[in-house]
Amino acid sequence: MSLETLKIQVIKKAWEDPAFKQQLLADPKAAVKDAFGVELPQEIQVTTVEETASHYYLVIPPNPEDIGSGQSNVEVVW
């Protein structure tokens, strides 16, 4: 499963399943593992936030130049 596919599935499940959404907000790594069987590496931190109609988040991803050889590898970002 690609990273983008996983992200889409996680968001869709959060919209459809209030219990999953609460677990995702409280413990995102456990929620993803329980629901999708995907264990995120220990060194990866995941923070889940919920946008509202009047509160948005702008996420600035790592600069590809700052990641290893300068080659962007989206698999290591999330």
Side-chain angles (χ1 to χ4, degrees):
M1 174 182 321
S2 75
L3 176 64
E4 272 311 301
T5 300
L6 178 60
K7 283 183 179 182
I8 290 167
Q9 288 183 357
V10 167
I11 292 167
K12 187 175 180 181
K13 185 165 179 64
W15 287 339
E16 297 169 349
D17 182 343
F20 172 74
K21 179 179 169 182
Q22 288 307 311
Q23 183 185 19
L24 187 63
L25 288 164
D27 189 351
K29 289 173 87 171
V32 170
K33 183 178 179 185
D34 292 348
F36 299 96
V38 175
E39 188 164 352
L40 300 172
Q42 187 175 9
E43 65 272 9
I44 299 293
Q45 287 185 330
V46 179
T47 303
T48 304
V49 294
E50 182 178 12
E51 290 185 340
T52 67
S54 62
H55 191 155
Y56 295 90
Y57 292 88
L58 176 62
V59 178
I60 302 169
N63 184 329
E65 296 298 320
D66 296 337
I67 300 175
S69 66
Q71 295 295 320
S72 178
N73 181 357
V74 82
E75 292 295 329
V76 300
V77 175
W78 197 63

